[in-house]
């Protein structure tokens, strides 16, 4: 597998699976799947989806996002909800609620999600914008994409504490470096990690 995080929380897996494409600059391959965690502008961007979509692309998203996508795209659109398992085309995944505990930005009632995908017999967890929740702590994970920027999500110290509890093989920090969060936050995150966890930095 290969991973890219061009900016913020825009994640690309194997050059064909996209999560929350945002602020894509340059040349990118067309998407086989586009997963959206929620409808905030830095996670759901029609402009950026248009850069990577083809007639074969499948969009997987929450209900609020699906309603907007239906106005712009004729593609297959799969509406998902938290706490469910899915198989779409060739890909299997489950969803869990992604939300804030003590902030107003991502209420649990919005039914926004994180994703747990099985790819090449490994569990990849894309947290979305979340604090440390019971549902998140229950995930089985080999590769973890975790927000560290604070303000709207967990901060670096919380993100490293979560990572240590989940104990993935590899962790990739996201949600910093542009809108919120700094390279200093990245360093704080890495300093708090258990030494047996491999950290991969994709945001330059």
């Amino acid at each position: 597998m290969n991973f890219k995080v061009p900016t913020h929380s825009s994640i690309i897996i194997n050059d064909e699976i996209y999560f929350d494409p945002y602020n894509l600059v340059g040349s990118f391959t067309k998407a086989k799947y586009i997963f959206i965690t929620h409808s905030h502008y830095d996670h759901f961007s029609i402009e950026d989806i248009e850069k990577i979509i083809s007639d074969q692309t499948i969009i997987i998203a929450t209900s609020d996002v699906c309603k907007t996508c239906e106005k712009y795209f004729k593609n297959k659109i799969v509406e998902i909800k938290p706490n469910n398992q899915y198989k779409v085309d060739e890909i299997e995944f489950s969803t869990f609620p992604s939300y804030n505990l003590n902030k107003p930005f991502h209420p649990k009632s919005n039914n926004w999600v994180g994703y747990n995908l099985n790819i090449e017999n490994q569990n990849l967890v894309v947290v979305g914008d979340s604090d440390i929740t019971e549902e998140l702590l229950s995930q089985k994970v080999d590769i973890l994409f975790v927000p560290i920027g604070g303000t709207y999500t967990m901060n670096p110290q919380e993100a490293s504490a979560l990572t240590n509890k989940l104990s993935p093989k590899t962790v990739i920090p996201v949600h910093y470096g542009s809108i919120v969060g700094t390279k200093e936050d990245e360093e704080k995150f890495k300093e708090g990690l258990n030494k047996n966890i491999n950290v991969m930095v994709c945001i330059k």
Side-chain angles (χ1 to χ4, degrees):
M1 274 183 286
N2 66 78
F3 313 109
K4 298 173 184 173
V5 185
T7 184
H8 199 55
S9 289
S10 183
I11 298 163
I12 309 170
I13 299 170
N14 290 344
D15 296 318
E16 65 178 12
I17 302 171
Y18 286 75
F19 288 84
D20 295 353
Y22 169 70
N23 199 21
L24 298 177
V25 178
S27 178
F28 293 88
T29 56
K30 297 300 183 182
K32 189 170 185 178
Y33 307 98
I34 298 174
F35 289 82
I36 306 295
T37 60
H38 65 292
S39 57
H40 285 165
Y41 77 94
D42 54 329
H43 294 261
F44 174 48
S45 164
I46 292 293
E47 177 184 357
D48 288 287
I49 289 175
E50 288 176 337
K51 296 175 184 177
I52 56 172
I53 200 168
S54 74
D55 291 343
Q56 288 73 45
T57 302
I58 299 173
I59 300 173
I60 299 159
T62 52
S63 60
D64 51 349
V65 172
C66 287
K67 290 175 184 176
T68 304
C69 283
E70 288 170 357
K71 299 177 183 178
Y72 288 88
F73 306 115
K74 295 181 179 179
N75 293 64
K76 180 178 180 180
I77 300 171
V78 178
E79 180 179 333
I80 53 85
K81 295 180 180 180
N83 300 315
N84 281 283
Q85 293 187 338
Y86 298 88
K87 182 174 183 181
V88 176
D89 195 19
E90 301 171 354
I91 198 161
E92 295 183 8
F93 62 94
S94 60
T95 57
F96 55 90
S98 187
Y99 59 96
N100 291 139
L101 295 173
N102 53 7
K103 312 177 188 75
F105 309 110
H106 306 89
K108 188 175 184 179
S109 59
N110 281 7
N111 285 328
W112 292 338
V113 301
Y115 293 96
N116 191 328
L117 286 76
N118 186 275
I119 301 176
E120 298 178 16
N121 293 317
Q122 296 195 76
N123 285 19
L124 281 70
V125 169
V126 176
V127 170
D129 283 9
S130 185
D131 290 320
I132 300 175
T133 66
E134 291 183 8
E135 296 92 344
L136 183 49
L137 287 168
S138 71
Q139 298 302 306
K140 179 182 178 182
V141 54
D142 297 300
I143 301 168
L144 177 67
F145 295 85
V146 64
I148 69 167
T151 305
Y152 307 105
T153 69
M154 61 190 83
N155 63 34
Q157 293 85 358
E158 291 168 331
S160 58
L162 168 75
T163 303
N164 290 338
K165 288 181 180 179
L166 291 176
S167 193
K169 298 173 185 174
T170 297
V171 61
I172 300 170
V174 298
H175 209 278
Y176 72 101
S178 54
I179 297 170
V180 293
T182 64
K183 294 297 282 187
E184 287 76 16
D185 291 321
E186 176 191 297
E187 291 304 316
K188 292 176 184 176
F189 171 70
K190 291 193 290 186
E191 288 170 2
L193 290 176
N194 291 340
K195 301 305 179 184
N196 62 320
I197 299 174
N198 174 48
V199 58
M200 181 184 298
V201 173
C202 294
I203 295 178
K204 305 304 180 185

